[in-house]
Amino acid sequence: MNDFLIPASNPPAKIKPGHIAWRSPSNIAIVKYWGKYGQQFPANPSLSMTLENAYTETHLFYKPRAANDEAINYTFDNQKNRAFEARIQLVFKSWKEYFPFLDTIHLDIHSKNSFPHSTGIASSASSMSALALCVVALEQLIYKRFTDKEFFQKASFMARLASGSACRSVFPCFSVWGKTDHVEGSHDAYAIPLERFHPIFASLLDDIIIVSSDEKAVSSSAGHVLMNDHPFAESRYTQARRHTEELNQILKSGDLDRFGEIAEMEAMTLHALMMCSQPSYTLMLPNTLTVINKVRDFRRDTKLPVYFSLDAGPNPHILYPSDINAEVEGFILNEIKPLAEEGKVLKDHCGKGPFQLS
Ligand code: PMV
């Protein structure tokens, strides 16, 4: 289904006040989205693993809008947050043509994250996917026009307009965003779930090492823009296309070592691109590199399949299958935890995807 607009011939009946709530997780890209065009379309396909424990819960209370009501009231952690509210207003502006019924509705939106404030976890994927799911659920309540598949496709489409990587959080386990001839149904406008993968990948654990919770010096939005004139842009996009294609095969075959190689190459490429952008910038910190080197040494010494990834920030994700949890536990505790800010390590894993709370 590519029709994300509501048919004009279908005006909504006057809505009764009600409440919808969704929980939606964050995700870690194994193949990274870095660079975009047009209205938040990706310059290359990306492939991610949906998390479970790092999530946002969003409650949406709706009622008919009175003459002098504002359109939206927003709180985060039960408090007004002007910066977040301004971002949400912009998101609704970009959604306007897809949700015309909102013109006559007042929304009270309350969000909270499972992960504590300032842990350096990018929350836009979980928060924007949770918000998109709530509003598409409201559309479904009014128009009843979606099958399950269409519902999640529209939620992914709307989440993408809010924050690119959020479109992948709408699905469990693994999803692909961005057109590639090698993944049937893939699209630049929304993500699709990958339904066939070896059970070893569903068992992946992800320990997120909070090396620093400081706000990033350069935002992801600014980083995407720097790809426009980047000297390595074209070769990067070619590499990402090849990695997506190969990873899609690997997920089926169960080749964990090659999965890990690609995950690490993608993380290092992302940060190398930042370092040779103009202007150049660095988001890795000394302890980021120490963690990376320790993971490599541990893997060499033990022959265990333990790998790292990085988001656009200094905090490594350590990925390994659950059947070696006992062997990895001591390594994380003794060698990695001391490198984290206040010893913060967030335990997460390949997740089941979002779900409706009410
Ligand atoms: O969705 P954005 O605009 O915050 O960009 C996210 C980019 C990375 O997190 C670095 C990679 C990705 O694909 O998630």
Side-chain angles (χ1 to χ4, degrees):
M1 187 201 75
N2 285 325
D3 182 12
F4 297 107
L5 295 167
I6 291 163
S9 58
N10 205 355
K14 200 167 158 70
I15 197 158
K16 288 203 200 83
H19 166 228
I20 289 169
W22 276 81
R23 173 187 290 185
S24 190
S26 190
N27 69 74
I28 174 76
I30 308 301
V31 179
K32 312 290 181 185
Y33 146 60
W34 200 238
K36 58 180 166 182
Y37 70 94
Q39 204 186 3
Q40 200 106 289
F41 294 111
N44 62 260
S46 56
L47 193 160
S48 64
M49 181 174 90
T50 300
L51 300 178
E52 181 75 16
N53 297 334
Y55 60 79
T56 300
E57 275 184 14
T58 295
H59 292 255
L60 185 87
F61 295 86
Y62 54 88
K63 60 178 185 191
R65 197 186 313 170
N68 40 16
D69 255 1
E70 52 190 357
I72 295 161
N73 177 43
Y74 179 82
T75 67
F76 183 77
D77 270 346
N78 294 321
Q79 286 178 356
K80 275 269 180 208
N81 181 317
R82 294 286 165 211
F84 287 4
E85 192 165 41
R87 172 103 196 259
I88 297 290
Q89 300 284 4
L90 281 179
V91 167
F92 275 92
K93 217 167 147 195
S94 75
W95 283 355
K96 201 169 163 42
E97 67 181 301
Y98 300 99
F99 295 133
F101 59 90
L102 290 181
D103 285 353
T104 58
I105 293 177
H106 170 81
L107 299 178
D108 253 317
I109 304 167
H110 305 283
S111 272
K112 60 178 196 284
N113 290 344
S114 62
F115 39 98
H117 243 324
S118 308
T119 43
I121 299 286
S123 59
S124 64
S126 56
S127 60
M128 294 307 166
S129 55
L131 186 62
L133 285 157
C134 284
V135 184
V136 178
L138 178 57
E139 174 183 347
Q140 175 71 336
L141 199 83
I142 298 171
Y143 295 95
K144 301 186 177 49
R145 69 188 190 106
F146 296 132
T147 61
D148 247 23
K149 183 177 173 198
E150 291 167 347
F151 173 85
F152 286 104
Q153 203 169 81
K154 176 144 184 186
S156 179
F157 177 91
M158 301 314 303
R160 179 200 109 237
L161 290 175
S163 171
S165 55
C167 73
R168 297 182 311 236
S169 276
V170 165
F171 300 108
C173 298
F174 296 94
S175 50
V176 164
W177 169 38
K179 175 84 190 122
T180 157
D181 292 341
H182 303 274
V183 181
E184 205 191 319
S186 58
H187 208 288
D188 279 359
Y190 49 83
I192 60 163
L194 289 180
E195 268 139 20
R196 280 187 52 217
F197 47 85
H198 191 282
I200 189 87
F201 296 114
S203 84
L204 279 178
L205 305 181
D206 180 359
D207 290 355
I208 310 168
I209 317 304
I210 310 302
V211 159
S212 167
S213 59
D214 291 350
E215 201 170 318
K216 290 186 282 193
V218 180
S219 69
S220 288
S221 311
H224 287 295
V225 171
L226 290 176
M227 285 304 286
N228 292 342
D229 296 316
H230 201 289
F232 300 124
E234 280 319 311
S235 47
R236 161 59 192 159
Y237 300 146
T238 304
Q239 178 200 42
R241 278 192 285 271
R242 289 204 180 120
H243 278 165
T244 306
E245 176 187 340
E246 192 184 347
L247 202 53
N248 182 39
Q249 292 305 324
I250 286 167
L251 284 175
K252 290 176 200 150
S253 72
D255 184 348
L256 187 56
D257 290 344
R258 184 63 186 146
F259 173 97
E261 250 171 45
I262 292 179
E264 294 191 351
M265 211 187 308
E266 281 286 321
M268 295 310 247
T269 302
L270 172 70
H271 284 261
L273 288 165
M274 294 171 188
M275 286 188 247
C276 59
S277 289
Q278 220 178 349
S280 150
Y281 65 107
T282 316
L283 297 183
M284 286 203 255
L285 293 171
N287 276 358
T288 313
L289 284 173
T290 309
V291 170
I292 287 173
N293 287 332
K294 281 189 179 283
V295 168
R296 286 173 166 163
D297 291 349
F298 181 73
R299 186 168 67 231
R300 187 196 56 223
D301 295 345
T302 62
K303 308 275 182 288
L304 291 171
V306 179
Y307 303 96
F308 67 85
S309 183
L310 289 164
D311 223 325
N315 303 320
H317 290 235
I318 302 187
L319 303 165
Y320 53 98
S322 60
D323 63 355
I324 59 164
N325 193 14
E327 288 109 305
V328 179
E329 214 172 1
F331 164 66
I332 300 285
L333 199 68
N334 300 325
E335 305 232 13
I336 301 294
K337 207 171 153 70
L339 298 164
E341 186 182 79
E342 296 166 12
K344 268 187 256 165
V345 175
L346 305 183
K347 295 280 191 185
D348 216 323
H349 57 89
C350 180
K352 292 186 292 295
F355 66 91
Q356 186 157 13
L357 298 163
S358 69

